[in-house]
């Protein structure tokens, strides 16, 4: 309008990819990194137990499995009283 725009959709750079740190069994962590370029050693985490996963570059099913496995590993390390409150003895 009058030489200027009133909407900026699509004009900027794309958003950065979504990356998440997920806990993983150490042996599985190494194997997954070797099989998938979108899985790297955990950024600012214990690289033996954590992977950084670039979500949009992996099949949704694999990401879901990795999230579920991570949740289970983290919950398993919680005190029993906390696990019971989560209904995860």
């Amino acid at each position: 309008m009058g030489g200027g725009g009133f909407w900026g959709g699509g004009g900027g750079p794309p958003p950065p990819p979504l990356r998440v740190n997920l806990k993983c069994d150490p042996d599985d962590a190494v194997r997954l990194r070797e099989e998938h370029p979108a899985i790297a050693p955990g950024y600012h985490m214990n690289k033996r137990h954590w992977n950084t996963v670039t979500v949009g570059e992996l099949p949704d099913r694999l990401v879901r499995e990795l999230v579920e496995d991570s949740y289970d590993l983290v919950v398993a390390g919680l005190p029993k009283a906390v696990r019971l409150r989560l209904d995860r003895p």
Side-chain angles (χ1 to χ4, degrees):
M1 299 183 94
F6 64 94
W7 180 66
L18 174 62
R19 291 186 178 99
V20 295
N21 286 331
L22 298 172
K23 193 164 190 176
C24 193
D25 172 80
D27 294 329
D28 290 338
V30 172
R31 179 184 54 79
L32 287 164
R33 292 174 201 157
E34 291 171 352
E35 293 175 1
H36 303 280
I39 300 177
Y43 184 70
H44 287 298
M45 304 296 282
N46 179 330
K47 290 162 182 29
R48 184 167 186 262
H49 295 277
W50 292 84
N51 280 335
T52 297
V53 176
T54 305
V55 174
E57 297 179 14
L58 294 169
D60 290 345
R61 182 178 180 149
L62 176 59
V63 172
R64 197 170 315 121
E65 289 172 5
L66 294 172
V67 169
E68 289 173 359
D69 290 347
S70 178
Y71 180 85
D72 290 342
L73 286 168
V74 170
V75 169
L78 295 173
K80 186 174 183 176
V82 175
R83 288 195 317 266
L84 290 172
R85 283 198 305 264
L86 294 172
D87 194 28
R88 305 281 292 217

